[in-house]
Amino acid sequence: MVKLPAALLSLESATPYAAGDSASVHSRDGSILLDWYSHDEDGTDEEDWDDGTGHLAAVIGIRGELAAGDLRPLYLGWLAALPDISDPDTVPEPLVPMGLAALTGPQQALVDFLRVDPHLLRAAGAASASAAVQDDRELARWIAALPAADKDDLLLRLARYGSTGLGSDLLRGYRRSRPPGAAAEPRTAAALIEAADSLRSATARGGR
């Protein structure tokens, strides 16, 4: 479970990535709660208790990424929930964030923790643009184009409060200026699962 202030992650942005009990989104007391559930392939709960020194220690960074406007953790939680969806033909794919082919360390830890099917992730990534936020030139151009009043405000905050939260605010504004892109053709959960099955079959044939 991850909790963020609604000012950093809106319910409107998070709700499309909810998928039943395995990936749920709630609003409570001015905060957004993301609840992801992980279980074995046979449907049983994980038996090993994680006290924060295992998977959770590696995953903890996703909170800061979400606060900075990176929606990839939300999409990964949605992907992990697809096997539990009873009628995938009726479930539309949410907007696909940039950079699914180049996950961060915390995001890869989340993939491992939630047991996201690698073929499903690869199928999903086919509609994901490159992570432009990793290109310093793009980010520099966006900052250069900011109104002078916004830059003055950022410098004033830096002088008064230091850099705490400033980088996250800048990245969040940058990412909001470059919203996630949908697939060329609207996809359903069923279409993604079918694409993953095709990739799995191709991999199996290639391994013979």
Side-chain angles (χ1 to χ4, degrees):
M1 181 178 289
V2 179
K3 179 180 179 181
L4 292 100
L8 299 182
L9 177 65
S10 69
L11 183 63
E12 181 181 8
S13 296
T15 297
Y17 298 93
D21 294 335
S22 296
S24 58
V25 176
H26 309 280
S27 176
R28 184 182 304 164
D29 299 328
S31 297
I32 302 300
L33 301 177
L34 309 175
D35 194 357
W36 294 312
Y37 177 74
S38 174
H39 59 72
D40 294 326
E41 292 181 359
D42 61 1
T44 61
D45 295 341
E46 169 131 18
E47 295 180 359
D48 295 331
W49 176 259
D50 191 332
D51 62 1
T53 60
H55 286 296
L56 294 181
V59 170
I60 195 70
I62 63 170
R63 186 183 186 279
E65 294 175 346
L66 287 166
D70 191 337
L71 300 184
R72 282 177 290 180
L74 283 173
Y75 188 90
L76 295 174
W78 181 81
L79 273 186
L82 291 196
D84 298 329
I85 294 177
S86 59
D87 190 5
D89 286 305
T90 65
V91 177
E93 180 184 29
L95 291 176
V96 184
M98 295 184 297
L100 285 179
L103 299 179
T104 66
Q107 290 164 11
Q108 187 57 56
L110 183 64
V111 166
D112 296 339
F113 176 70
L114 296 179
R115 302 181 179 88
V116 177
D117 180 350
H119 298 96
L120 194 57
L121 180 57
R122 183 180 166 194
S128 177
S130 298
V133 73
Q134 297 177 356
D135 186 341
D136 288 343
R137 290 172 298 177
E138 288 289 333
L139 183 57
R141 280 194 287 267
W142 178 80
I143 291 175
L146 288 175
D150 290 349
K151 294 180 182 179
D152 290 344
D153 179 65
L154 290 169
L155 288 173
L156 181 60
R157 287 177 53 196
L158 179 63
R160 283 183 173 174
Y161 311 113
S163 60
T164 303
L166 196 58
S168 291
D169 288 351
L170 275 170
L171 287 175
R172 186 166 58 253
Y174 173 72
R175 288 186 173 112
R176 286 177 176 173
S177 75
R178 305 171 66 85
E185 294 290 337
R187 299 187 293 187
T188 63
L192 271 171
I193 293 171
E194 182 178 352
D197 288 341
S198 296
L199 288 173
R200 188 177 296 104
S201 297
T203 300
R205 289 195 299 271
R208 290 175 182 172

